[in-house]
């Protein structure tokens, strides 16, 4: 079975149907990645510590082990023709240790950059792309110095780990410094100034290491630092859409991207586009593409890591995607039979928890704002 070269190996060899894609991580992104790959004829293995995890339910095999278990990663590598990952908190060193026996087309440079906020912000800025003002901080004294430059309000973020608002402390006034870690437990962090943005957005870009394609810019609405709604496409002028497209291509070229990269954005009232964060994989805000595009973000990810030529994805219909968290399971299930227009995705997670992503619903529509309002009027997301 032909296998891919890594990002330093020159021409990528195309992976053929029947080959095995190993996914490190077994959550919903791996599940949807696996389903896309299955339609193309690939086999799927996954590594995840939870037996019968969402990805395992649609995979050919699962290795039950922690993500940093080097023996388990070695086993996955031996049983796969290519490895990919569905989230960024993967042990890059463990992946590097198996690159002599399996292709990892995304590489580990992308992983390391997106695992560390200092590395990520530096990479973005080095490519001429704007972010919020930021400074690295590793102590209370460095925090005080950074606040003197950036000012209030600001947000203190750990450099590694953290998602959906975890690992972040909002500093609106000096009184909030009481929440900051003491020097003896102060992690590597950054202080980031607030951006006076009109709305949050994101754009997806996919590549095969040589060619890169983008999806439309979309508008995102968050609740409690968790994505609630995505409206596709975002209602923006042509210049904003062009800026997002061009910065996405610039970052993809910088990484020699294989697979799908998500870029979270702030759009200011004057049309300025600022990059917030990167995710080296398909993204929650791209789930609308499954129904609304001719090729979705998971199709493009699989095509990219398999070294196939990439199509230019087309938006076939405007759409709204809404997350279904643990507290939304009962109300949405009660009304789903009365909403044949809803495309319901259940992630197959064993336990519903408050604010845990359990699924999503996509609605194709003519006007995303009207469709979002109709969803809200069901009352399912009031809890």
């Amino acid at each position: 079975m032909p296998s891919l070269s890594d990002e330093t190996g020159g021409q990528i060899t195309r992976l053929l149907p029947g080959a095995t894609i190993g996914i490190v991580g077994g959550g919903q992104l791996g599940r949807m990645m696996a389903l896309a790959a299955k339609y193309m004829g690939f086999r799927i293995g996954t590594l995840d510590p939870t037996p019968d995890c969402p990805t395992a339910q649609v995979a050919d095999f699962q290795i039950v082990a922690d993500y940093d278990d080097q023996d388990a990663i070695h086993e996955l590598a031996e049983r796969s023709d290519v490895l990919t990952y569905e989230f960024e908190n993967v042990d890059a060193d463990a992946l590097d240790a198996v690159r002599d026996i399996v292709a990892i087309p995304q590489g580990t440079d992308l992983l390391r950059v997106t695992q560390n906020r200092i590395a990520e912000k530096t990479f973005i800025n080095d490519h001429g792309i704007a972010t919020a003002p930021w400074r690295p901080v590793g102590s209370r004294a460095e925090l005080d110095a950074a606040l003197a430059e950036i000012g209030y309000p600001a947000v203190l973020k750990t450099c590694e780990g953290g998602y959906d608002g975890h690992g972040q402390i909002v500093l609106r006034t000096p009184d909030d410094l009481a929440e900051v870690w003491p020097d003896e437990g102060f992690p590597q962090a950054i202080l980031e100034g607030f951006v006076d943005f009109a709305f949050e957005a994101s754009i997806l870009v996919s590549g095969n290491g040589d060619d890169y394609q983008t999806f439309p810019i979309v508008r995102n609405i968050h609740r409690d630092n968790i994505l609630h709604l995505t409206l596709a496409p975002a209602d923006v002028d042509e210049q904003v859409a062009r800026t997002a497209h061009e910065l996405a291509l610039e970052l993809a070229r910088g990484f020699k991207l294989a697979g799908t990269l998500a870029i979270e954005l702030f759009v200011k009232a004057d049309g300025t586009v600022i990059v917030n964060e990167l995710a080296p994989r398909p993204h929650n805000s791209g789930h609308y593409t499954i129904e609304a595009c001719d090729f979705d973000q998971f199709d493009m990810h699989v095509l990219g890591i398999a070294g196939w030529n990439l199509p230019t994805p087309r938006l076939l219909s405007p759409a709204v995607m809404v997350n279904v968290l643990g507290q939304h399971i009962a109300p949405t299930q009660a009304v789903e039979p009365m909403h044949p227009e809803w495309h319901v995705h259940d992630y197959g997670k064993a336990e519903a928890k408050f604010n845990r992503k359990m699924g999503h619903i996509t609605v194709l529509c003519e006007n995303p704002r009207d469709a979002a309002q109709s969803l809200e009027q069901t009352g399912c997301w009031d809890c």
Side-chain angles (χ1 to χ4, degrees):
M1 187 64 61
S3 62
L4 298 168
S5 65
D6 65 20
E7 72 271 18
T8 62
Q11 183 65 37
I12 290 178
T13 303
R14 290 177 175 85
L15 203 66
L16 299 179
T20 298
I21 298 173
I23 304 174
V24 181
Q28 66 266 21
L29 297 178
R31 179 189 184 93
M32 290 179 273
M33 195 185 296
L35 289 170
K38 280 288 193 177
Y39 278 120
M40 298 177 201
F42 295 112
R43 295 184 178 276
I44 297 294
T46 186
L47 186 156
D48 194 275
T50 303
D52 196 39
C53 61
T55 305
Q57 294 167 20
V58 298
D60 294 279
F61 67 88
Q62 177 185 6
I63 298 171
V64 180
D66 290 333
Y67 305 122
D68 59 354
D69 185 323
Q70 296 199 10
D71 289 339
I73 289 178
H74 192 274
E75 180 184 351
L76 183 66
E78 288 189 322
R79 298 176 67 179
S80 303
D81 296 286
V82 62
L83 289 188
T84 186
Y85 38 82
E86 63 126 27
F87 69 114
E88 47 268 48
N89 293 326
V90 178
D91 189 334
D93 290 339
L95 291 182
D96 278 336
V98 297
R99 290 177 70 167
D100 59 335
I101 60 174
V102 69
I104 307 176
Q106 291 162 280
T108 51
D109 288 345
L110 172 65
L111 195 57
R112 286 188 170 91
V113 167
T114 53
Q115 282 177 340
N116 184 284
R117 286 191 168 98
I118 292 176
E120 181 177 86
K121 300 290 187 186
T122 301
F123 185 91
I124 295 166
N125 294 158
D126 284 351
H127 284 79
I129 298 169
T131 61
W134 65 278
R135 296 290 184 275
V137 294
S139 67
R140 293 295 295 262
E142 290 181 0
L143 174 59
D144 291 341
L147 280 167
E149 292 186 59
I150 291 175
Y152 293 95
V155 58
L156 183 63
K157 300 179 178 181
T158 56
C159 276
E160 297 185 357
Y163 62 94
D164 291 342
H166 298 284
Q168 301 184 17
I169 302 171
V170 177
L171 305 175
R172 299 186 184 277
T173 71
D175 291 342
D176 294 322
L177 292 173
E179 302 299 320
V180 174
W181 317 286
D183 266 343
E184 57 268 23
F186 206 105
Q188 186 186 40
I190 67 168
L191 183 75
E192 186 176 293
F194 268 31
V195 175
D196 185 16
F197 58 86
F199 62 91
E200 296 178 77
S202 59
I203 188 168
L204 302 167
V205 58
S206 300
N208 61 10
D210 180 58
D211 178 42
Y212 310 102
Q213 301 289 340
T214 64
F215 288 86
I217 182 174
V218 299
R219 180 168 185 156
N220 296 323
I221 298 170
H222 291 78
R223 290 184 181 175
D224 299 325
N225 295 307
I226 301 171
L227 182 64
H228 173 51
L229 286 167
T230 293
L231 285 67
D235 184 14
V236 297
D237 63 37
E238 184 178 341
Q239 181 56 48
V240 170
R242 185 181 305 114
T243 298
H245 167 79
E246 290 174 353
L247 69 83
L249 292 179
E250 179 65 22
L251 291 171
R253 287 189 289 263
F255 285 120
K256 293 184 172 57
L257 178 69
T260 293
L261 171 73
I263 305 166
E264 297 181 45
L265 307 167
F266 295 133
V267 180
K268 300 176 72 173
D270 64 1
T272 301
V273 180
I274 293 175
V275 172
N276 180 26
E277 292 183 346
L278 307 178
R281 43 145 176 94
H283 191 257
N284 194 173
S285 67
H287 292 343
Y288 77 93
T289 62
I290 297 172
E291 283 82 26
C293 296
D294 57 346
F295 289 87
D296 67 48
Q297 64 168 341
F298 301 100
D299 296 328
M300 296 292 279
H301 182 81
V302 173
L303 293 172
I305 64 172
W308 292 20
N309 292 348
L310 297 182
T312 300
R314 293 182 298 144
L315 183 68
L316 304 177
S317 170
V320 173
M321 187 284 303
V322 59
N323 271 326
V324 177
L325 306 181
Q327 63 268 34
H328 306 143
I329 289 289
T332 54
Q333 288 183 347
V335 301
E336 281 168 6
M338 285 80 79
H339 288 279
E341 76 278 12
W342 287 5
H343 294 267
V344 178
H345 295 254
D346 187 304
Y347 298 154
K349 295 182 178 179
E351 183 180 1
K353 298 179 182 179
F354 185 81
N355 278 355
R356 187 185 195 193
K357 294 171 184 172
M358 302 298 295
H360 72 268
I361 293 168
T362 300
V363 179
L364 304 183
C365 57
E366 294 184 3
N367 186 308
R369 288 183 180 273
D370 290 346
Q373 185 176 19
S374 295
L375 283 163
E376 299 287 14
Q377 287 173 346
T378 65
C380 292
W381 288 271
D382 291 345
C383 50

